Amino acid sequence: MADSMIRVPSEVRDRLAELAKDRGSSIGAIVGEYARSTPTEQEMAAKAAEARQILYELSGYRASEEEERASLAELERRIQSLR
């Protein structure tokens, strides 16, 4: 696999170097792990659709768009209350 250069501010590079040192790893390994483990918006939407389908198949329940919006708003409210 060919290596590539990524331009980042020096503060980001220094932080990545610190994280890599703490983990006994390299900056490239940390960036690679982040890229592999962070889903795209499209991937998250596909997982959400899959979860809704499984919920429907198991329970027969299908939330309306309004119910989904309300659930997301409540989840966000609860997350904010923990911060």
Side-chain angles (χ1 to χ4, degrees):
M1 172 169 45
D3 289 341
S4 296
M5 299 292 289
I6 299 173
R7 296 180 65 103
V8 297
S10 59
E11 300 83 30
V12 172
R13 179 207 57 221
D14 294 346
R15 176 69 176 164
L16 288 169
E18 184 178 345
L19 292 169
K21 182 180 176 185
D22 285 351
R23 297 176 187 184
S25 186
S26 68
I27 290 175
I30 289 174
V31 172
E33 178 58 31
Y34 175 79
R36 285 186 297 278
S37 66
T38 305
T40 65
E41 290 289 328
Q42 184 177 5
E43 290 166 337
M44 287 189 296
K47 284 289 188 186
E50 180 183 8
R52 285 190 298 272
Q53 182 60 32
I54 290 169
L55 176 64
Y56 177 73
E57 290 171 5
L58 292 174
S59 70
Y61 175 75
R62 190 178 308 273
S64 68
E65 287 184 26
E66 182 178 320
E67 290 171 317
E68 283 191 33
R69 279 193 299 274
S71 294
L72 289 172
E74 176 63 15
L75 178 59
E76 181 62 30
R77 184 191 68 73
R78 290 180 185 204
I79 290 170
Q80 291 301 319
S81 73
L82 297 173
R83 292 186 178 158

